[in-house]
Every structure is written in structure tokens, then in C-alpha cells.
Amino acid sequence: MRVNCVGAIIFDAFGRLLLVQRGHAPGLGLWSVPGGRLEPGESDEAGVRREVLEETGLRVTVGRLAGTVHRAGPGGVTYVIRDYLATMSGGTAAAGDDAAALRWCDRSDLARLPLTEGLLDCLTEWDTLPAA
């Protein structure tokens, strides 16, 4: 079974990347870009806006698709995750919903944090790493 998911790659004015620490499985305790499952009938753009608002309190404008990854999940599920570039348009950053914490990260932070599987590789491949 395939589960459609979306994520948001968001940078602040200093070129730092917004990461959330997952508060629930899959990925409990790991850091990743905000995102999650699409609801039935929901477009990718609407899903990105909803997930970012729920997890971070931020409103965003959704940009271009950065890339797509497939991740194996429990019980034979495959998560199909489409990550989009997004820019902040309002709100106040605060962890919410299933995010245990959030932080703005530069490139050196990525080497120190426990990231979700493949995140660093994808950000590198898609040329979407934060500032050094």
C-alpha cells in the first residue's frame, strides 16, 4: 500500500533550515522537515500548508517540488514523500501537533542531529542544504 505524504523545505532570512523533532512514530525523536500524510482528496499544496501550520504554527506559500522519496513503513506500507520548497508568509514558530520541538539549523547542525533516514542525502542531492 502506498501512502502519499508531503514535506516542506523552509529557510529563514539567514539561510537556516527549519527542522522538527518527531514526537510520534515513525521517526520518534528524529529530526526532519515538517510534513506528513495527505488527507483524502487533499492536494499537495493544501497538505503542505496544513502540515506546516499544524506542526510549526507557520503559514507558508508553497513553491516548486524539490524531490520525491520512497520510504518503507510498517506492515509493507510505502510512504511516497514529495518535498516542496516553501516560504514563510506568517505565524509564529512553535512546536505543535506531532512535533516535539523545532529549530532553525545551519549546515553544521545537520551533522550533529539525529536525522530521519536519508534526509541529508536528499537535501544534498536536491541542492537544498542550509547555509554553512
Side-chain angles (χ1 to χ4, degrees), residues 10-17 104-107 129-132:
I10 306 166
F11 295 98
D12 69 3
F14 303 102
R16 297 176 302 176
L17 176 66
W104 294 100
C105 300
D106 62 25
R107 198 170 299 187
L129 287 169

Side-chain angles (χ1 to χ4, degrees), residues 34-124:
R37 297 176 189 209
L38 288 176
E39 294 179 353
E42 187 175 42
S43 70
D44 282 7
E45 182 177 349
V48 169
R49 287 193 316 265
R50 177 185 53 76
E51 285 289 342
V52 171
L53 183 61
E54 288 175 359
E55 291 187 0
T56 71
L58 296 173
R59 289 185 297 282
V60 294
T61 301
V62 181
R64 72 169 176 83
L65 177 68
T68 303
V69 295
H70 295 79
R71 294 284 177 250
V77 167
T78 298
Y79 295 105
V80 179
I81 309 163
R82 292 178 294 280
D83 287 319
Y84 290 84
L85 294 174
T87 56
M88 292 180 290
S89 60
T92 302
D97 193 31
D98 67 344
L102 63 78
R103 66 184 290 178
W104 294 100
C105 300
D106 62 25
R107 198 170 299 187
S108 66
D109 293 324
L110 299 183
R112 293 191 301 269
L113 292 172
L115 304 175
T116 54
E117 179 187 345
L119 178 62
L120 186 57
D121 292 337
C122 289
L123 294 173
T124 301

